[in-house]
Amino acid sequence: MKIKYRDEKEIGFLCVYAIYIFVYLLNSSMLQLNKLLEYVTVVAAIVLILLFLLKRKYKKREFFIGVLSFIVFAFAAHSTGKDQLLLFVLFIVCSSMASWKKILKVSLGTIICSLVCIFNAVNSGVIQDYTYLHHEGVTAHSGGFVYYTTLPYIVMYAILIYLYLRGEKIKWIEVGVIFAISYEMYQYSTTKLTWYLSLGILVLEIILVKFDCIQIDNFVIRKVGPWLFPVIGLITILCCWFYKASSTFWFGLNVTLGNRLGLAQKAFAEYPITLFGQYIEMYGQADVAFGNVSYTKYFYIDSGYIYAILGYGVLFTLVVIFMYSYLIYYATKRNDKNLFIWLIIVLVFTVVNNTWVSLAVNPVLMCFPIVFRSRNSMEERDKI
């Protein structure tokens, strides 16, 4: 995987991004490098601010969107106490300094290196592979991470990145290998959601890319596509808001979704919807013995849409939805099928998972400034 650099600012941006991903993922594991992550976050933010100031030429709308995004993310970071949001918006604003494909190559390479380091730490006994015993008697492995669901979604995003980089050149043998990896990950972690989504990725890849059956730049998809994120987000919020445990339908759906509806409704009861967001206390008390974990008390907002509207605030949610909607508009306009597949998977995954703004594993938002500032396709942008 060769990467040719354009200038010093691009090298600086990609180096900072790679270091951040590496430390972030190691901290997500049982290594728990909180202090190092804090240090890297501060240094990375300083470097990105300097890079932003060194870039002298900005289009007016590009500068306006950048400043607006920074202000909104800053309010959300202050309200929630999540300083990582400031770094995320700096990555997004500065991403136009590098080409999109180079960002993805660095992202994929760093994710793989991070996972190799974590697996080596598990095998050498430095950290533990916690196992979670389900009611069915099935054992889920965490692979060195704090939660057993973390590794599967990291691998899922890595697959999306790989498929985008391969594009129409993807071969059947690669599709088969990806299927095998996804299945082994399901057997290892028992996480059904990422397994089903991985199958969905491959089905869409085969239909849209390999067989080229459907052109996504047709009139219907171009008109409907940009509305998907706001509509699905609103439906998710309304379902949680009007959830009734006494209803057979809602009760069954809540059980299927792992009590996410009940927890989300509890969140709405305890926290009001605000403009700039607020701190939400989430907890999971676990009994740990001989590497086996079972929860006795648990409150967590899994849905990205629910956490965004309650935790990050209305303004933040609208800005992020606008970015995703614009990316879908761009993907359908340019018939960019791999980008479209990526966005559809994020659209569905965000209903029950909060990784749509986690740039360490899901860098797709960094595509927004690159396509927003230019009328050219990303392939043409890569040639600049």
Side-chain angles (χ1 to χ4, degrees):
M1 188 165 55
K2 297 180 180 179
I3 305 176
K4 295 181 180 179
Y5 301 105
R6 189 167 61 238
D7 54 36
E8 293 79 4
K9 291 190 289 292
E10 182 177 63
I11 295 174
F13 175 85
L14 294 175
C15 287
V16 169
Y17 183 48
I19 293 171
Y20 173 74
I21 294 173
F22 187 74
V23 176
Y24 180 91
L25 291 181
L26 291 186
N27 182 65
S28 299
S29 72
M30 296 301 297
L31 291 171
Q32 295 289 291
L33 304 177
N34 292 307
K35 289 296 182 181
L36 180 59
L37 181 61
E38 290 176 7
Y39 174 76
V40 169
T41 300
V42 172
V43 174
I46 293 173
V47 173
L48 291 174
I49 290 173
L50 290 175
L51 290 175
F52 180 80
L53 295 176
L54 287 173
K55 184 180 177 182
R56 300 180 182 278
K57 294 182 179 180
Y58 289 96
K59 294 181 179 180
K60 289 183 180 180
R61 66 172 186 171
E62 177 190 6
F63 184 81
F64 172 76
I65 291 294
V67 172
L68 176 63
S69 299
F70 182 84
I71 293 173
V72 171
F73 273 65
F75 273 116
H78 175 73
S79 300
T80 60
K82 295 181 179 293
D83 297 334
Q84 296 284 313
L85 291 176
L86 285 175
L87 186 59
F88 289 167
V89 73
L90 287 172
F91 274 126
I92 293 172
V93 171
C94 295
S95 62
S96 58
M97 296 178 184
S99 76
W100 173 231
K101 287 188 177 179
K102 290 175 187 175
I103 292 173
L104 294 185
K105 289 178 181 179
V106 168
S107 175
L108 181 60
T110 309
I111 288 173
I112 293 173
C113 290
S114 303
L115 293 181
V116 169
C117 290
I118 294 169
F119 291 157
N120 286 336
V122 172
N123 292 331
S124 61
V126 175
I127 58 177
Q128 190 174 0
D129 173 26
Y130 277 153
T131 57
Y132 297 72
L133 185 62
H134 295 304
H135 296 298
E136 303 87 353
V138 179
T139 301
H141 293 266
S142 68
F145 288 91
V146 178
Y147 302 105
Y148 71 93
T149 58
T150 302
L151 179 59
Y153 77 68
I154 293 175
V155 173
M156 184 189 72
Y157 279 120
I159 289 171
L160 286 169
I161 295 171
Y162 179 81
L163 289 175
Y164 186 90
L165 289 172
R166 292 293 294 150
E168 296 179 357
K169 298 178 181 178
I170 189 78
K171 300 181 183 302
W172 283 109
I173 184 65
E174 294 173 89
V175 174
V177 170
I178 291 173
F179 174 83
I181 292 173
S182 300
Y183 180 74
E184 286 300 319
M185 189 54 54
Y186 167 61
Q187 291 291 311
Y188 185 72
S189 67
T190 72
T191 307
K192 294 180 180 179
L193 177 59
T194 49
W195 163 237
Y196 294 150
L197 286 176
S198 296
L199 290 179
I201 292 170
L202 292 177
V203 170
L204 290 173
E205 181 73 16
I206 292 170
I207 293 174
L208 297 180
V209 180
K210 291 298 292 180
F211 290 156
D212 195 22
C213 295
I214 303 173
Q215 302 307 309
I216 62 171
D217 60 349
N218 67 65
F219 178 80
V220 175
I221 297 178
R222 286 184 62 180
K223 292 299 180 182
V224 174
W227 291 98
L228 289 176
F229 271 93
V231 169
I232 295 300
L234 181 60
I235 291 174
T236 303
I237 292 170
L238 291 177
C239 285
C240 297
W241 186 278
F242 291 107
Y243 164 72
K244 292 183 179 180
S246 58
S247 168
T248 304
F249 169 77
W250 288 114
F251 179 79
L253 183 60
N254 186 46
V255 171
T256 303
L257 295 175
N259 198 34
R260 285 180 171 90
L261 287 175
L263 291 172
Q265 189 177 71
K266 179 182 178 182
F268 277 116
E270 295 184 3
Y271 298 95
I273 297 176
T274 62
L275 194 61
F276 299 110
Q278 62 199 308
Y279 174 74
I280 296 179
E281 184 178 0
M282 296 187 289
Y283 51 84
Q285 183 178 336
D287 298 322
V288 183
F290 305 107
N292 295 307
V293 180
S294 61
Y295 287 104
T296 55
K297 278 190 175 182
Y298 187 80
F299 172 68
Y300 199 86
I301 302 175
D302 290 288
S303 172
Y305 300 119
I306 303 300
Y307 189 86
I309 199 73
L310 290 177
Y312 298 143
V314 174
L315 278 182
F316 178 95
T317 305
L318 291 177
V319 168
V320 174
I321 285 179
F322 170 76
M323 290 180 180
Y324 271 107
S325 298
Y326 188 87
L327 286 175
I328 286 190
Y329 161 77
Y330 180 87
T332 56
K333 182 180 179 181
R334 300 291 179 180
N335 201 34
D336 191 331
K337 295 178 180 179
N338 285 108
L339 179 60
F340 182 76
I341 293 171
W342 190 338
L343 295 169
I344 292 300
I345 294 301
V346 174
L347 172 76
V348 177
F349 197 42
T350 305
V351 173
V352 292
N353 192 279
N354 188 22
T355 55
W356 64 333
V357 291
S358 182
L359 300 184
V361 294
N362 176 30
V364 73
L365 279 182
M366 288 194 287
C367 176
F368 172 76
I370 297 173
V371 302
F372 189 78
R373 74 187 298 269
S374 175
R375 294 180 181 178
N376 298 323
S377 67
M378 280 183 287
E379 288 78 11
E380 292 171 335
R381 172 71 179 83
D382 278 342
K383 297 176 183 178
I384 298 176

